[in-house]
């Protein structure tokens, strides 16, 4: 049963599967954190079109030899899992905005859902991402609207935006947002289903503890706010 003091249910489900398959030992208790720690480093490959081959090699090296990352990838604790899926959430989100392919959005929703099933710090990570995106969109809007920005500081940036999103940045911000929601509504609904089903399955302990779904939303907040 879910207990907020022990964080989310993801670690316990994964560890139960590993113990079932490979038995209980000091070795098997380290498999999952080492696996997710390695997956975090390997996921840097998704940035290849953004930072290039040299960039992903350098990022992967920094992550691989990070003392903090190595430390938390050595024993059974939530941090390795949390770091991995937070990273995947960001990378899959970047790939979705670059390609507009729906599969990346579904993977983004899955990674976000698993984040919330690992640790309550997912609320903090989501806040960081959402506020960054709001700031980014407002910045892009100002760069293409204010004459001083357009003429003095950002002609190349404006040209880049117009080339990438032809005709869009001449429209009001709210209009563009509403147009996107109308065009992508079916994809967003399916992404919501992906998020919800992962959350329901894990917090209900595969539907054997329905109260866990309520506890995952309400008790998480009350417990950590009291802490």
């Amino acid at each position: 049963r879910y207990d907020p003091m022990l964080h989310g249910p993801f670690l316990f489900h994964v560890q139960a599967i590993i113990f079932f398959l490979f038995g209980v030992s000091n070795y098997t208790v380290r498999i999952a954190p080492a696996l997710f720690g390695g997956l975090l480093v390997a996921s840097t490959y998704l940035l290849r079109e953004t930072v290039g081959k040299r960039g992903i090699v350098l990022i992967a090296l920094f992550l691989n030899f990070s003392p903090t990352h190595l430390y938390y990838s050595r024993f059974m604790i939530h941090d390795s899992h949390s770091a991995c899926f937070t990273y995947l959430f960001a990378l899959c989100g970047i790939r979705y905005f670059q390609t507009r392919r729906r599969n990346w959005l579904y993977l983004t929703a899955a990674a976000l859902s698993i984040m919330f099933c690992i640790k309550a710090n997912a609320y903090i990570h989501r806040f960081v991402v959402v506020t960054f995106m709001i700031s980014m969109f407002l910045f892009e809007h100002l760069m293409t609207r204010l004459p001083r920005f357009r003429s003095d500081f950002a002609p190349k940036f404006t040209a880049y935006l117009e080339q990438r999103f032809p005709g869009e940045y001449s429209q009001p911000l709210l209009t563009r947002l509403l147009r996107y929601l109308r065009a992508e509504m079916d994809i967003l609904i399916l992404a919501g289903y992906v998020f919800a089903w992962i959350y329901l399955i894990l917090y209900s302990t595969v539907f054997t503890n329905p109260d866990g779904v309520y506890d995952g939303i309400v008790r998480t907040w009350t417990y950590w706010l009291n802490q």
Side-chain angles (χ1 to χ4, degrees), residues 7 15 25-26 45 73 83 122 137 152 162 198 200 208 220-221:
H7 302 297
Q15 204 59 44
S25 68
N26 287 336
Y45 182 73
S73 299
F137 286 125
D152 297 340
E162 293 294 347
I198 293 174
L200 288 172
T208 61
T220 294
W221 280 97

Side-chain angles (χ1 to χ4, degrees), residues 36-79:
F36 290 117
L39 180 61
L40 184 150
V41 177
S43 299
T44 303
Y45 182 73
L46 297 177
L47 287 172
R48 64 191 182 281
E49 296 181 10
T50 305
V51 299
K53 293 182 179 179
R54 293 182 179 178
I56 62 174
V57 170
L58 288 173
I59 293 171
L61 284 173
F62 277 120
L63 289 172
N64 192 52
F65 293 106
S66 160
T68 304
H69 184 56
L70 283 173
Y71 174 75
Y72 282 111
S73 299
R74 292 180 59 223
F75 56 93
M76 191 178 72
I77 197 169
H78 299 75
D79 298 87

Side-chain angles (χ1 to χ4, degrees), residues 66-130:
S66 160
T68 304
H69 184 56
L70 283 173
Y71 174 75
Y72 282 111
S73 299
R74 292 180 59 223
F75 56 93
M76 191 178 72
I77 197 169
H78 299 75
D79 298 87
S80 177
H81 308 61
S82 177
C84 176
F85 283 99
T86 302
Y87 195 51
L88 282 172
F89 164 67
L91 296 186
C92 292
I94 289 171
R95 294 295 293 150
Y96 170 69
F97 279 107
Q98 288 175 335
T99 65
R100 284 298 194 269
R101 293 179 181 173
R102 61 177 63 193
N103 290 342
W104 289 115
L105 182 61
Y106 301 150
L107 290 172
T108 303
L112 180 63
S113 184
I114 294 174
M115 280 170 57
F116 280 96
C117 295
I118 296 174
K119 225 178 176 185
N121 61 5
Y123 289 98
I124 300 172
H125 296 159
R126 184 187 62 174
F127 175 81
V128 171
V129 171
V130 170

Side-chain angles (χ1 to χ4, degrees), residues 126-151:
R126 184 187 62 174
F127 175 81
V128 171
V129 171
V130 170
T131 52
F132 169 77
M133 291 182 66
I134 292 172
S135 301
M136 180 185 70
F137 286 125
L138 289 175
F139 174 74
E140 290 180 351
H141 183 70
L142 288 174
M143 292 288 273
T144 56
R145 287 285 174 178
L146 297 181
R148 184 181 178 187
F149 277 95
R150 179 184 283 273
S151 60

